[in-house]
Structures are given as C-alpha cells and as structure tokens.
Amino acid sequence: MKRNERLVDFTNFLLNRPNRMLNLNEISKRYEVAKSSISEDLVFIKRVFEDQNIGIVETFPGSLGGVRFTPYISDEVSRDRALELADLLREENRILPGGYIYLSDILGHPSNLKKIGQIIAHEYCDKQIDVVMTIATKGIPIAQSVAEILDVPFVIVRRDPKVTEGATLNVNYMSGSSSRVENMTLSKRSLSIGQSVLIVDDFMKGAGTINGMKSLVHEFDCFLSGVAVFLEGPFKGERLVDDYKSILKVDQIDVAQRTIEVELGNIFEEK
Amino acid sequence: MKRNERLVDFTNFLLNRPNRMLNLNEISKRYEVAKSSISEDLVFIKRVFEDQNIGIVETFPGSLGGVRFTPYISDEVSRDRALELADLLREENRILPGGYIYLSDILGHPSNLKKIGQIIAHEYCDKQIDVVMTIATKGIPIAQSVAEILDVPFVIVRRDPKVTEGATLNVNYMSGSSSRVENMTLSKRSLSIGQSVLIVDDFMKGAGTINGMKSLVHEFDCFLSGVAVFLEGPFKGERLVDDYKSILKVDQIDVAQRTIEVELGNIFEEK
C-alpha cells in the first residue's frame, strides 16, 4: 500500500479503535513499511484530527512505542452541538398533556445521539470511566452513544427483574417528584468491584432515579465517575443529587402557549 | 490543505456521512481544490474502502455530480463476524435457571453491537429502509447500531404506554410461546404513512413479539422491509412468523451440562 492509500486506511483504522494503545511495531507490520513512515503518516493525521475536532492522536516513543487516538471536540464545538440540540427542543408540538416533553424522535436519530455522546464524553475526558450505566428505556441510546466513543461497555438498570438477567442486585429509592418508594435492579454480573461508573440518563427532574442508580453503584462497591443527563427539567425544591451535569435545561414549560424555554445546561458553565 | 491531509479529512468526512449523496462541487469548495483533484482522491479512497471491507464509494458524473459512501462488508467478513459472536455465546456460565441465555454483556459492548449492525445492514443493503423498529429493552442497542450504519432513525415499541410518548397506537398480540394475549404500543408520531420499516430484535422463540410488531407496521400503513434477530432460539411447533433472518441459532440448551449448541443463523444460508 502506497502512502496515499495507507493514509486512508490508517485514518479508518484509528477511528475504529478509540482510546486504545496501539503498538507501532504491529502497525508497521500491517502496512509493511518502516516505523519512520508510520510516524510521518501520523504527523498528517494528528494535524487534521486536531484541526477538524476529530480527536487527539498521541504517540509514545520507545521500542514498545504506541499511538492512541482519543475522540475529542473543542469547548466551542461542544457548545455548538448543544445549541443545535436546543433548536430541536424548541420545535412546536413537543409539549404533551401534563407538561411532558416529547423526546423520542430526538433520541431516535443517530446524528443527535452522536452529538449527545460527544458532549458527555468531552466533559469527562480526563476522568477514568470503565462502564456507563443507565436506566431503561430512553437512557439506553445515550449510554450506547457515550460508550461507543469511550470504547467501554454499558449496563442497563431496570425497574423490574427479568428472567434473562440472572441473579440481580436490587435497591429501593425514593422518587424525587412523587415521594414514592420504588425499586430498581441490575444483573449481578454487570459490574465488578472497583469499577468506575458514569451514570447517564435522558431527563432529570427531582433526581430520584439518578439517586437510585448512585446507590446501586455504591452497593456494587464501584466508584462514581459522574452523572450526566441530556435534559434537566424545572424542579421546585431540593434535588436529591447535586453533583450532576446537564447538556440542556428547560426553565419553563408554557402548556397554554405550547412553548418551552430551553437554555444550555450546567456542563457549559464557566467555560 | 495538501493531498496527504485532505485524504485523512476526506476519509473521516465520508465515514461520518453514510448513505448520503454528497455534492462534488461542495466538497471541492470545502477543500479549495478543483473537482479533478477530488476525483483523484476518490480513486484512492474507493480502492481502500473496497479492499478493507469498509464500504462502497460511488461517484455520479455530471454538473450536479455527487459521491455516496455505503458501508458494506463482504459475505466472508459478515460470516466471520457472526462466528466471533458465536464464540461469545458458547462461553460458560451463560445459561440461567429455566434455560434462559444471558445476553446483556454481549449486547452491552459497542464492538459486538457494531458487528451485529454490520451483519444486518449487509443483509438488507439492497432494500429500501426508512426506519428501524424494535421493542424495549434489549432490542434497542441493536436497532441503534443498524440505524447508525444506515443513517436512518429508529423507533422503540413498548409494552406499556408512557406519558412521555403522547398519543399512541396499540395492538394486541399473541405470545408465541405462552399463548397469552399481550399489548404493545408505539407513539403515534413515530412513523409516517408509507415508510419502509426494518424490524430487529435480540431474541426470537415463537415470534409472537415479532408478529405484534408486524401488525403495528401494518396499522401505521407502513411497509415491512424485513425482520432480523440476533439470536433464534429452539422452538417446537410452528412459528408465527416465517420470513425472518437470524444471525445465530441456538439448537439445544443443555442446562445440566451448561452447554449451548450455537450455529450460524439463516442469514448465512445459500451463501
């Protein structure tokens, strides 16, 4: 393979192996060229990946030298993506009886999910994350999108145990908005002791569900890397969780006028 | 941007825009070079994408000329991916009380989901698909993975209506294994009349759930593009659906020996 073709293949090769340390000797074998040629290729790739907000390419010297691609977007791009998502939220016809917001179309489109995943992965890029946790149903696509960028697995908490999950660990939690006691469950084999867990969900009001997942992380003897939600809703009173990050925030829902006031969430504070 | 860097960027640009017709004039503007240079780039990209099973790059001539990247893997690669997934299924400790198979770890890892998505997208590459449909919970990651490759939205059927879904269309269906009548529901605004729908799910036994989704497709005045499941389980008697495709097939589950007999599903027949 000549340089032109190698650059195309190498670009694809890196994009498909995010956050992994790749051995330069193996790459040089793959392309049947000297390591010096691979290093030259990486100069081009590095520059483009950084300029175009694709990610960071780091090379590590030495006989066991390696290269690692970490997907990364700049603060500005992250903010732009969030503003694009905010525009979708402001569309008419999104307000349902009871003041609920219809999100399924937004969370059912791969391009939106990619943006959400990139914004969350960007926020936690300097944190250790071994696994992403969410609760069924609408959190799942978000968890999958973040997990794909970070190249880690994701686990799905359920409200009812299922026979296909094997032994489960269950916790009770207090719903933040209705003050009812509810139950959530996660397959015992989903997490190992000591893993670092990032909790994500689509929507948060009183944070009762998030709080339940936090206690699950604790009961599994795991560490909490953070909590990120797509949308933070209006809530009077004190939330059960205060160390969360939100991409967007709904300040007010006017059911009569059918309008929503959306602003950027606290991920974008002090930036 | 010089050719070397342009090739890196152009590769990423195409990979992120699967199945879309991209205007060559706009691409030539993006890179500030003549269309002839872009065409030369495409020769390299095309060759590598085909050789490396990344996809097909088609160029369309004329003043409104365009380029389209379609993710595509060969039959052999598709089969290899399925064999890798089969190895995971054969791992010990996967059999749960009652003869159920634990799948959550497989379906919670982005790299496995990508393989499943590629195999299904490969199978339906010559069919019109406007939207992917699945039922909560474990079908969701599969639907998302297929939808991402096809660059189309996915919709999630539920067993119970939720206030966050707005008006819903509900159907009753007969569970294939237990002969009970059950209910499933999909938000009214999820599908438009005349769309072509691909149904996917993680596991199929009697095909009752699949049959329910088929009747939903019908009630929405949509067309069925196909039915694909990750795993087909052993079933005695006649299935409610016979026009399905499976990636893997479990012939026998030996609960005492804790072994599963897994073989390739009917996607790979006559290939």
Side-chain angles (χ1 to χ4, degrees):
Chain A
M1 223 183 252
K2 295 240 177 83
R3 165 149 287 149
N4 283 338
E5 296 185 1
R6 198 169 66 230
L7 279 170
V8 172
D9 189 73
F10 201 0
T11 300
N12 177 65
F13 184 83
L14 288 174
L15 289 173
N16 280 305
R17 285 158 186 81
N19 300 302
R20 281 187 229 171
M21 183 63 83
L22 305 165
N23 187 301
L24 279 180
N25 291 324
E26 282 169 26
I27 293 170
S28 129
K29 252 185 231 157
R30 175 187 169 96
Y31 294 116
E32 297 170 338
V33 291
K35 261 164 79 174
S36 57
S37 301
I38 297 296
S39 298
E40 283 167 38
D41 293 349
L42 282 170
V43 172
F44 300 119
I45 294 178
K46 200 174 173 139
R47 200 179 303 152
V48 174
F49 275 29
E50 283 173 23
D51 288 353
Q52 301 295 323
N53 271 284
I54 300 167
I56 293 167
V57 177
E58 292 163 290
T59 43
F60 302 85
S63 60
L64 289 168
V67 54
R68 186 173 56 200
F69 158 59
T70 313
Y72 184 83
I73 52 173
S74 68
D75 290 350
E76 290 93 317
V77 170
S78 177
R79 177 184 286 265
D80 288 347
R81 303 266 145 99
L83 290 171
E84 286 160 22
L85 294 165
D87 284 340
L88 295 178
L89 264 183
R90 288 192 196 100
E91 286 168 358
E92 273 182 38
N93 243 334
R94 217 165 258 300
I95 302 174
L96 300 171
Y100 293 96
I101 305 169
Y102 185 74
L103 294 177
S104 298
D105 58 334
I106 296 179
L107 300 180
H109 210 293
S111 61
N112 297 331
L113 291 167
K114 187 166 183 191
K115 288 175 192 168
I116 295 171
Q118 285 177 324
I119 297 168
I120 294 176
H122 171 72
E123 178 64 21
Y124 294 96
C125 61
D126 55 353
K127 289 261 174 73
Q128 170 74 27
I129 295 169
D130 300 319
V131 56
V132 179
M133 174 189 278
T134 193
I135 189 159
T137 307
K138 281 213 285 292
I140 300 174
I142 295 177
Q144 181 167 349
S145 180
V146 176
E148 200 178 318
I149 295 170
L150 300 176
D151 196 33
V152 298
F154 61 95
V155 297
I156 302 170
V157 177
R158 292 161 171 269
R159 290 174 211 271
D160 310 291
K162 287 256 292 181
V163 287
T164 52
E165 296 299 313
T168 55
L169 207 158
N170 309 299
V171 297
N172 293 311
Y173 68 100
M174 201 83 161
S175 145
S177 14
S178 67
S179 298
R180 273 183 314 182
V181 176
E182 315 225 24
N183 181 64
M184 61 170 71
T185 171
L186 182 62
S187 172
K188 192 86 180 51
R189 52 177 107 184
S190 296
L191 295 175
S192 316
I193 291 174
Q195 285 190 303
S196 297
V197 181
L198 173 68
I199 294 174
V200 302
D201 207 356
D202 59 323
F203 187 73
M204 188 189 77
K205 251 176 121 173
T209 320
I210 299 282
N211 206 30
M213 284 194 268
K214 276 181 75 174
S215 61
L216 259 180
V217 170
H218 179 75
E219 292 297 336
F220 269 95
D221 289 319
C222 286
F223 300 106
L224 183 70
S225 303
V227 173
V229 298
F230 169 54
L231 189 61
E232 170 185 350
F235 187 69
K236 285 179 190 121
E238 208 164 324
R239 287 204 164 90
L240 292 166
V241 169
D242 54 10
D243 53 345
Y244 64 88
K245 294 284 174 188
S246 60
I247 296 179
L248 296 175
K249 191 175 165 179
V250 170
D251 273 327
Q252 224 179 329
I253 300 171
D254 188 330
V255 181
Q257 297 286 327
R258 313 193 77 164
T259 56
I260 314 178
E261 271 179 40
V262 187
E263 56 176 70
L264 290 180
N266 65 6
I267 281 191
F268 301 99
E269 277 172 17
E270 294 169 46
K271 269 181 191 169
Chain B
M1 223 184 253
K2 294 242 176 81
R3 165 149 288 151
N4 283 337
E5 297 185 0
R6 196 170 67 228
L7 280 170
V8 173
D9 189 74
F10 201 0
T11 300
N12 176 67
F13 184 84
L14 287 175
L15 289 173
N16 280 304
R17 286 159 185 80
N19 300 303
R20 282 187 228 170
M21 183 63 82
L22 306 165
N23 187 301
L24 279 179
N25 291 326
E26 281 169 25
I27 293 171
S28 132
K29 253 186 231 156
R30 176 187 168 96
Y31 295 117
E32 296 170 337
V33 291
K35 262 164 78 174
S36 57
S37 302
I38 297 295
S39 297
E40 282 166 40
D41 294 348
L42 282 170
V43 172
F44 300 119
I45 294 177
K46 198 172 173 141
R47 200 180 302 152
V48 173
F49 275 28
E50 281 174 25
D51 288 352
Q52 300 296 322
N53 270 284
I54 301 167
I56 293 165
V57 177
E58 292 163 289
T59 43
F60 301 85
S63 60
L64 289 167
V67 54
R68 185 173 58 198
F69 158 61
T70 313
Y72 184 83
I73 53 174
S74 68
D75 290 351
E76 291 93 315
V77 170
S78 178
R79 178 183 285 264
D80 289 347
R81 303 266 145 100
L83 291 171
E84 287 159 22
L85 294 165
D87 284 341
L88 296 178
L89 263 183
R90 288 191 196 100
E91 287 168 356
E92 274 183 39
N93 244 333
R94 218 164 257 299
I95 301 173
L96 299 172
Y100 293 96
I101 306 170
Y102 185 74
L103 293 178
S104 298
D105 58 334
I106 296 178
L107 300 181
H109 209 294
S111 61
N112 298 330
L113 291 167
K114 186 166 182 191
K115 287 176 192 168
I116 295 172
Q118 285 176 324
I119 297 168
I120 295 176
H122 171 73
E123 178 63 24
Y124 293 97
C125 61
D126 54 354
K127 290 261 173 74
Q128 171 75 24
I129 296 170
D130 300 318
V131 56
V132 180
M133 173 189 279
T134 193
I135 188 160
T137 307
K138 282 214 284 293
I140 300 174
I142 296 177
Q144 182 167 350
S145 181
V146 176
E148 199 178 318
I149 295 170
L150 300 176
D151 196 33
V152 298
F154 61 96
V155 298
I156 303 169
V157 177
R158 293 162 170 269
R159 289 173 212 272
D160 310 291
K162 288 255 293 180
V163 286
T164 51
E165 296 299 315
T168 55
L169 206 157
N170 309 300
V171 297
N172 293 311
Y173 68 100
M174 202 80 161
S175 147
S177 12
S178 67
S179 298
R180 273 183 312 183
V181 176
E182 315 224 24
N183 182 62
M184 63 170 70
T185 171
L186 182 62
S187 173
K188 193 85 178 53
R189 51 178 108 183
S190 297
L191 295 175
S192 316
I193 291 174
Q195 286 191 300
S196 297
V197 181
L198 173 68
I199 294 174
V200 303
D201 207 356
D202 60 323
F203 187 74
M204 188 191 75
K205 253 176 122 172
T209 320
I210 299 282
N211 206 31
M213 285 194 269
K214 276 181 72 173
S215 61
L216 259 181
V217 170
H218 179 75
E219 292 298 335
F220 270 95
D221 290 318
C222 286
F223 302 105
L224 184 69
S225 304
V227 173
V229 298
F230 168 53
L231 189 61
E232 170 185 351
F235 186 70
K236 285 179 191 120
E238 207 163 326
R239 288 203 164 89
L240 292 166
V241 171
D242 54 9
D243 54 346
Y244 64 88
K245 295 285 175 187
S246 61
I247 296 178
L248 295 174
K249 189 174 164 179
V250 169
D251 272 328
Q252 224 180 329
I253 300 172
D254 188 330
V255 181
Q257 298 286 328
R258 312 192 77 162
T259 55
I260 313 179
E261 270 178 42
V262 187
E263 56 177 70
L264 291 180
N266 67 5
I267 280 191
F268 302 98
E269 277 171 16
E270 293 170 48
K271 270 182 190 167

